[in-house]
Amino acid sequence: MGSVSEMLTAVPLHKRPDLLEACADLINEEWRRSRTSRIHSLQKSSDNFPMCLVLIRTLRLMEETGEGKTSNTQCQLLGHARLSRVVGQSNSLFVETVVVAKALRGKGYGRKLMEAVENFAKAHGYHHLPSISTLSSSSSSPSTSSASTKSLFTSPVKLW
């Protein structure tokens, strides 16, 4: 019998160019734009900002066979968030285009993505995440059922 382990990681998209097209498709599920234009925009991700962070789930399948143990690793793009510097506020990052794959919503991955954004910001010396415009949501919870998007932060978030 085999075992499965799951690992979630957030990495800058420019460090994983193999996910560029999948990321364009993911964002286009929510906000339609030409694929070429979307890819062009995503290719601007860099360490100097704007930066696209992607949440990735890595599944590792371990199986025992008669010849020993074998492992198979699968990688899946779960979500995206775009980070930009705030003009005139050197310790702030603006977060936008936050989206989780429609089929995976309601499972806590949006929260994990935003935690990863906050951890990234803290680790790189940013202290504030001003309000973002919208967070995609198709949750059926009472607080979000009346709109397809909602504000994630109602006021700036101070990270410490």
Side-chain angles (χ1 to χ4, degrees), residues 5-149:
S5 65
E6 176 183 85
M7 183 173 65
L8 298 179
T9 54
V11 296
L13 181 59
H14 56 277
K15 306 272 188 202
R16 288 293 309 265
D18 58 306
L19 296 174
L20 192 63
E21 291 181 2
C23 193
D25 294 340
L26 171 71
I27 297 169
N28 276 349
E29 279 184 1
E30 196 65 35
W31 299 290
R32 271 322 245 167
R33 194 164 135 191
S34 84
R35 193 168 196 243
T36 302
S37 178
R38 181 72 68 197
I39 288 172
H40 178 73
S41 176
L42 291 171
Q43 286 174 326
K44 294 180 181 179
S45 177
S46 77
D47 288 335
N48 296 317
F49 298 96
M51 178 184 294
C52 298
L53 278 183
V54 291
L55 184 66
I56 301 166
R57 174 172 62 181
T58 303
L59 293 175
R60 188 170 194 187
L61 311 168
M62 297 290 294
E63 291 195 56
E64 275 196 53
T65 65
E67 301 165 6
K69 290 185 179 181
T70 62
S71 70
N72 181 16
T73 303
Q74 299 174 348
C75 189
Q76 180 183 16
L77 176 66
L78 304 178
H80 168 276
R82 181 179 170 101
L83 310 176
S84 301
R85 287 194 176 130
V86 177
V87 176
Q89 297 180 26
S90 61
N91 64 349
S92 297
L93 287 177
F94 186 72
V95 184
E96 59 186 336
T97 319
V98 177
V99 65
V100 170
K102 285 184 179 184
L104 299 171
R105 293 181 188 168
K107 299 178 188 307
Y109 292 121
R111 181 178 300 112
K112 294 292 186 188
L113 176 58
M114 290 311 298
E115 287 171 0
V117 166
E118 290 177 1
N119 290 337
F120 174 87
K122 285 179 191 178
H124 291 85
Y126 295 96
H127 304 279
H128 294 92
L129 297 175
S131 301
I132 66 170
S133 53
T134 56
L135 171 69
S136 172
S137 176
S138 64
S139 168
S140 59
S141 69
S143 63
T144 61
S145 61
S146 62
S148 63
T149 58

